Amino acid sequence: MTHKGKHTICIHDGEIKDTQFGGAVSPIFMASSYPFLDVDSMRYPRMFNTPNQEAIGIKIAALEHAEAGLPFASGMAAISTSLLAFLEPGDHVVFQNEIYGGTFRFANEELEKFGIDYSFTDGIQASDFEEKITDNTKVIYIETPSNPLLTIMDIESIAKLAKRKNLISMIDNTFASPINQTPLDFGIDISIHSATKYLGGHSDMLAGAVVGSRDHIQEISNKGKNLGGNISDFMCYLLERSIKTLGVRVEKHNENAQYIAQFLENHKDIVKVYYPGLTSHPNHNIAKRQMNGFGGMLSFELKDQFNVKEFQKSLKMIKPSMSLAGVESTILMPTLTSHTSLTEEEKKKQGISNNLLRFSVGIENKEDIIQDLVQAIQNQIK
Ligand SMILES: *Cc1c(COP(=O)(O)O)cnc(C)c1O
């Protein structure tokens, strides 16, 4: 099937015509009260069916070649609602070993209360997932590229396994964004985003999104009405505005990250660079097959003699930040922030060194980003 161009979808799909004044952009409809004459005509923000919520759903669905889409108030609302929509007491879900910290906590702290059983894989091959599947497994959940080591999973092999075992497959597609990866084309059932990241892209909003078949999205919507993680119409407007430039932003993120990854890989004070666009990445060929671009996220490890915290403080433009995927470059030390709770042994097992930095490459001029990195490295050497 051929699809419309991504940039065109980013700008036009789902837009609401301003029939009153003919304005060029979708109006915001903030109403939480609409006519209620019979059940079929009910509109209410918690029903995911205000004009702006529907408009965003159409746009994100088109971007990922899905039948339907739903916006949420946060990535975690999208993830938790999607999981709870398909898991009943007594069911089991298999998670990839490396997943976003919030999803990991949701699994460990919440699922048991719903009587839902779960396992994490020991590796990233389809066979590692198959090994954990039990008679009551219902869902397989992956994340690629993953955080913070940019591990690449073979999406198609997981989708095939899920189909063969009659399971629902879900992916956290946040790091790739719909521009770089359309998992439904490889047979995945449900693709989820923290729209706080690339879809939003300006570090000024919190939102989530889910896309899938009409039936699956209906089930998630039904569950969402009970859980209430709905997005406001104002945020829908901001998200629509942001997505208009998603294509051009992500292409620039891709270009900058590739250039910087190669520069760092050749730098004498850098031990290792993790980026799926490097031929040295163990799954570069899988990434090439399933991604249109390799994304704006990379990680690198400074040599042992460096004080990584001081290195971060020496940066003049690149900001230390917990979040990622904004137009500005940000950096984070997983062992001091997102992954502090891991023991030394767990860190070692996951390959997360104390000198590792996760770098969200922005869309500034790449020479300026490199200059900032270089001056901070030199500052440490003197
Ligand atoms: C940030 C993030 C989330 C959670 O999204 P929120 O919008 O913060 O709720 C989920 N998955 C990934 C990969 C993320 O980076």
Side-chain angles (χ1 to χ4, degrees), residues 73-77 79 100 102-103 141 143 145 147 172-175 193-197 205-208 323-324 358:
S74 71
M76 280 315 300
I79 291 166
Y100 177 70
T103 313
Y141 186 104
E143 184 173 322
N147 181 23
D172 184 329
N173 201 29
T174 301
F175 267 35
H193 289 270
S194 167
T196 312
K197 313 296 167 48
M205 62 180 296
L206 185 77
S323 201
L324 58 107
R358 186 194 74 189

Side-chain angles (χ1 to χ4, degrees), residues 124-319:
I124 59 159
Q125 307 300 325
S127 56
D128 294 306
F129 283 80
E130 186 152 9
E131 205 169 81
K132 300 288 176 184
I133 292 172
T134 60
D135 288 345
N136 52 347
T137 303
K138 198 80 176 289
V139 171
I140 282 190
Y141 186 104
I142 63 169
E143 184 173 322
T144 180
S146 73
N147 181 23
L149 293 177
L150 289 309
T151 304
I152 300 293
M153 295 274 318
D154 183 339
I155 297 176
E156 195 169 17
S157 72
I158 297 298
K160 278 193 179 142
L161 172 66
K163 289 226 165 24
R164 181 156 59 81
K165 298 277 185 180
N166 207 13
L167 311 175
I168 292 173
S169 51
M170 297 186 188
I171 185 171
D172 184 329
N173 201 29
T174 301
F175 267 35
S177 91
I179 301 301
N180 286 334
Q181 195 163 271
T182 47
L184 271 60
D185 291 341
F186 295 92
I188 292 287
D189 294 314
I190 292 160
S191 172
I192 312 177
H193 289 270
S194 167
T196 312
K197 313 296 167 48
Y198 286 107
L199 293 173
H202 294 72
S203 309
D204 59 0
M205 62 180 296
L206 185 77
V210 178
V211 300
S213 71
R214 211 161 273 117
D215 289 348
H216 284 151
I217 291 300
Q218 187 60 51
E219 290 207 40
I220 296 169
S221 163
N222 289 344
K223 186 58 68 176
K225 289 167 197 169
N226 296 338
L227 296 176
N230 300 73
I231 190 169
S232 81
D233 293 304
F234 184 73
M235 275 301 161
C236 288
Y237 157 77
L238 208 50
L239 190 51
E240 183 180 349
R241 190 186 199 282
S242 302
I243 293 176
K244 287 184 188 184
T245 58
L246 178 69
V248 284
R249 279 190 282 110
V250 169
E251 285 177 4
K252 187 69 182 166
H253 284 292
N254 291 344
E255 178 195 325
N256 279 1
Q258 182 75 37
Y259 188 85
I260 289 163
Q262 282 167 356
F263 173 84
L264 292 173
E265 190 169 47
N266 293 317
H267 195 289
K268 64 176 179 24
D269 294 316
I270 309 292
V271 184
K272 199 165 167 53
V273 181
Y274 299 85
Y275 185 65
L278 293 174
T279 50
S280 60
H281 188 288
N283 290 115
H284 173 66
N285 285 330
I286 298 173
K288 224 161 70 182
R289 199 165 65 224
Q290 66 192 24
M291 301 180 83
N292 308 310
F294 301 111
M297 299 300 301
L298 62 86
S299 287
F300 62 94
E301 211 177 298
L302 278 163
K303 274 192 177 159
D304 264 355
Q305 65 263 37
F306 283 85
N307 180 331
V308 181
K309 205 167 175 181
E310 288 305 315
F311 166 82
Q312 277 187 289
K313 284 190 193 158
S314 313
L315 292 165
K316 294 187 169 134
M317 177 179 77
I318 300 163
K319 298 185 171 105

